[in-house]
């Protein structure tokens, strides 16, 4: 666990920038006229937001005063990257608190709000374990950020509260503009238990410089993403080109993927036509033919020297980031946020990125199938231990404003949560975010099911066995099928 001092040091530069942003946002709201350099349209839009939100804060003021709330309310928020550029998942809540305090002051309230907590940059497993232990001890946070797949788990366990009534209060002003698919990632049992914080796509990056050394023309390189989109370049083609680059000594590995348990490598199953869940029944799905092909793909990739047999070694720096930025890998199965991480932590520049990196969907497994990506929305939840849930929710509502949420999207290369954010000046200035937006047309999300973690554990065990060579593709598939069958009738098995 990081020390308090380490957490502060790690975000010092970001906090300086945030101080400027806080002043700008509040200045837009409260200035009698548009500040110098601020487009009139932007000023008028923010001014309108401010007027609408004042009525909601007036209602909040009355309720707080009626219940005898203290002069200062502290809301504790736990958030995670683990990538450091995602620091705005926490800092945006501070910005929201500053804005909420200005609104409270404007309506004559004596109450002020302060945000405490942390932004976690270590492992997901440790972060989730810490949350469970804290909740069991009665010392959980008020706001908890995690992946949307945790919503059913925590809702079933009674750790989080439904938010439907709160969402209705801010629906017209803020939440009606959020993409409908993201609300699906926040619901369980017909109720809303979370608020979308971000979403993303998982591109397959490729090194342009390596393709040039293979003899590809600039026209061929630039055409590759569209060939993938049209299904004209498949996973078979990927293996062929990756193997060629490896055999010619141009790269150490033809394909790299995440170094720990997660979701990214599941995209190769989706590329073979696999399904993860059935929304109509709420059950998870096991597509036998797709999992068999997935097993064989990775077995072949390791045998042909395309994939590192130790890829699942847990060390992101040496197994993923460094091979990517050093040009030691041709294809990189990553996420949109990795672009920001490589620039902020691994020393490459914007110019270097655009000169040497391309990005595309994960190719279809076979001709006639579709290319894919996978999205993993992160969401804010309010715990049952929160004493002032309406205050916590007000912070989440304000942090969802396009002018605030865009801080996170641009800084960390995640995608917008609302239509207005997509057209916000901060967002539209980012070429990368604009260029990857089309990938959401090809995305899916992991199942909203309490037992998804157990299904995913089985997938990880199978891949680990294949890549390490302890099992053949056939043996790993058999183990995977048996493990998932053990979950019972919550899984649909299809050919």
């Amino acid at each position: 666990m990081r020390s308090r001092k380490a957490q502060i040091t790690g975000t010092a530069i970001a906090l300086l920038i945030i101080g400027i942003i806080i002043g700008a946002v509040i200045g837009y709201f409260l200035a009698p006229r548009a500040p110098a350099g601020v487009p009139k349209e932007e000023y008028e839009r923010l001014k309108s937001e401010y007027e609408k939100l004042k009525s909601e804060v007036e209602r909040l003021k009355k309720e707080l005063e009626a219940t005898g709330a203290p002069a200062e309310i502290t809301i504790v928020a736990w958030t995670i990257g683990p990538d450091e550029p995602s620091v705005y998942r926490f800092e945006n809540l501070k910005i929201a608190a500053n804005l909420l305090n200005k609104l409270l002051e404007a309506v004559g309230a004596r109450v002020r709000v302060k945000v405490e907590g942390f932004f976690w940059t270590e492992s997901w497993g440790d972060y989730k374990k810490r949350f469970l232990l804290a909740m069991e001890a009665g010392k959980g946070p008020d706001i908890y950020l995690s992946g949307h797949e945790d919503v059913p788990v925590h809702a079933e366990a009674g750790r989080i509260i439904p938010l439907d009534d709160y969402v209705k209060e801010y629906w017209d002003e803020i939440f009606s503009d959020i993409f409908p698919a993201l609300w699906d990632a926040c619901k369980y049992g017909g109720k809303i238990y979370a608020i979308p914080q971000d979403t993303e796509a998982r591109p397959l990056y490729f090194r342009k410089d390596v393709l040039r050394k293979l003899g590809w023309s600039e026209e061929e390189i630039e055409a590759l993403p569209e060939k993938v989109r049209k299904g004209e370049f498949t996973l078979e083609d990927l293996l062929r080109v990756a193997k060629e680059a490896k055999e010619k000594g141009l790269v150490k590995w033809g394909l790299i993927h995440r170094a720990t348990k997660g979701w990214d490598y599941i995209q190769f199953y989706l590329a073979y036509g696999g399904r993860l869940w059935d929304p109509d029944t709420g059950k998870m799905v096991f597509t036998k033919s797709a999992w068999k092909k997935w097993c064989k793909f990775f077995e072949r990739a390791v045998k042909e020297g395309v994939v590192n047999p130790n890829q699942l070694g847990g060390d992101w720096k040496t197994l993923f980031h460094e091979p990517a930025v050093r040009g030691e890998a041709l294809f990189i199965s990553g996420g949109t946020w990795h672009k920001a991480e490589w620039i902020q932590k691994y020393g490459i520049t914007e110019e270097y990125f655009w000169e040497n990196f391309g990005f595309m969907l994960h190719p279809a497994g076979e001709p006639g199938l579709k290319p894919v990506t996978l999205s993993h929305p992160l969401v804010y939840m309010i715990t049952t231990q929160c004493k002032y849930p309406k205050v916590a929710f007000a912070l989440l509502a304000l942090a969802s404003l396009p002018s605030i949420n865009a801080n996170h999207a641009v800084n960390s290369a995640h995608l917008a949560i609302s239509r207005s954010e997509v057209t916000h000046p901060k967002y539209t200035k980012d070429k990368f975010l604009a260029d990857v937006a089309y990938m959401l047309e090809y995305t899916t999300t992991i199942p909203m099911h309490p037992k998804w973690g157990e299904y995913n554990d089985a997938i990880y065990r199978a891949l680990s066995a294949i890549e390490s060579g302890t099992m053949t593709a056939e043996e790993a598939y058999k183990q995977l099928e048996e493990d998932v069958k053990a979950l019972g009738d919550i899984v649909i098995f299809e050919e």
Side-chain angles (χ1 to χ4, degrees), residues 336 353-354 359 415 427 430-439:
T336 53
F353 176 82
W354 290 103
F359 44 90
L415 303 183
Y427 195 88
D430 192 296
K431 173 176 167 55
F432 178 72
L433 293 181
D435 285 357
V436 298
Y438 82 97
M439 293 187 179

Side-chain angles (χ1 to χ4, degrees), residues 135-206:
M135 291 296 289
E136 288 177 7
K139 297 180 180 179
D142 301 297
I143 294 172
Y144 178 60
L145 175 85
S146 193
H148 74 104
E149 74 281 2
D150 285 346
V151 168
V153 176
H154 296 315
E156 286 277 356
R159 300 186 189 103
I160 56 176
I161 64 172
L163 304 174
D164 301 75
D165 291 341
Y166 299 150
V167 170
K168 288 177 185 176
E169 291 182 8
Y170 291 88
W171 183 256
D172 292 337
E173 292 83 358
I174 298 174
F175 294 124
S176 61
D177 195 43
I178 288 178
F179 294 118
L182 293 182
W183 285 119
D184 292 339
C186 296
K187 295 177 181 177
Y188 179 68
K191 295 181 180 179
I192 298 172
Y193 280 94
I195 300 300
Q197 192 277 321
D198 74 5
T199 190
E200 22 71 336
R202 284 168 164 73
L204 187 71
Y205 294 96
F206 58 91

Side-chain angles (χ1 to χ4, degrees), residues 294-296 298-300 302 461-473 476-477:
W294 176 86
C295 290
K296 290 179 180 178
F298 281 105
E299 180 182 55
R300 180 179 166 193
V302 172
R461 286 193 296 272
L463 183 60
S464 298
I466 292 169
E467 292 193 342
S468 66
T470 58
M471 285 188 180
T472 65
Y477 172 78

Side-chain angles (χ1 to χ4, degrees), residues 272-293:
Y272 283 114
R275 292 198 304 153
L276 289 174
W277 70 308
D278 182 67
D280 293 334
T281 62
K283 294 185 177 184
M284 296 182 288
V285 177
F286 187 103
T287 307
K288 296 179 182 180
S289 58
W291 278 126
K292 289 177 182 177
K293 291 172 183 177

